[in-house]
Amino acid sequence: TEYAVMREGDTERAFTSPLNDETRAGTFICKGCDQPLYDAATKFKSGTGWPSFFAPLDDAVETMPDKGFFTTRTEVHCDRCGGHLGHVFMGEGFTPTNARHCINSISMKFVPAE
């Protein structure tokens, strides 16, 4: 559910959202507070099953360590409302920023460009 993902840090099932296939120009915004998060121009097909971006908008997200049983990942959340968005993976080498923001689409809405 949205609450479980955005407030408890869960992850939605891969390949379950139409935002994964969204290709129009526009902006992805936080479902919790409508803050703009990612420009659609930074979205790319990662094949992971979640919308992936190589960079957030300025002053849109914050990160923090997310310690799991076997690994530590970097959690991404909205810097306005604190809603959990997903994780960022660094050093993968196939994006202009060397980063992949793997974002739960249940945490976002898409606003097409006018």
Side-chain angles (χ1 to χ4, degrees), residues 16-34:
T16 60
S17 171
L19 290 185
N20 195 41
D21 296 321
E22 180 60 66
T23 59
R24 295 175 290 173
T27 306
F28 292 85
I29 66 172
C30 178
K31 193 173 272 184
C33 70
D34 291 339

Side-chain angles (χ1 to χ4, degrees), residues 27-49:
T27 306
F28 292 85
I29 66 172
C30 178
K31 193 173 272 184
C33 70
D34 291 339
Q35 171 160 268
L37 301 170
Y38 296 92
D39 186 306
T42 67
K43 186 174 184 283
F44 67 96
K45 277 257 194 226
S46 67
T48 62

Side-chain angles (χ1 to χ4, degrees), residues 52-109:
S52 295
F53 305 86
F54 60 79
L57 293 169
D58 290 340
D59 301 319
V61 304
E62 292 182 343
T63 62
M64 65 184 201
D66 180 6
K67 296 183 190 292
F69 190 63
F70 291 108
T71 186
T72 299
R73 300 181 296 177
T74 302
E75 178 185 342
V76 178
H77 59 272
C78 174
D79 78 347
R80 181 186 291 164
C81 73
H84 173 78
L85 301 172
H87 293 86
V88 60
F89 301 93
M90 301 299 295
E92 296 189 348
F94 57 88
T95 70
T97 60
N98 211 27
R100 175 175 49 92
H101 290 243
C102 193
I103 306 300
N104 291 293
S105 53
I106 201 168
S107 300
M108 299 184 298
K109 298 184 280 189

Side-chain angles (χ1 to χ4, degrees), residues 3-21:
Y3 184 86
V5 171
M6 293 191 71
R7 299 296 173 223
E8 297 175 342
D10 281 356
T11 300
E12 70 184 344
R13 260 189 0 209
F15 302 103
T16 60
S17 171
L19 290 185
N20 195 41
D21 296 321

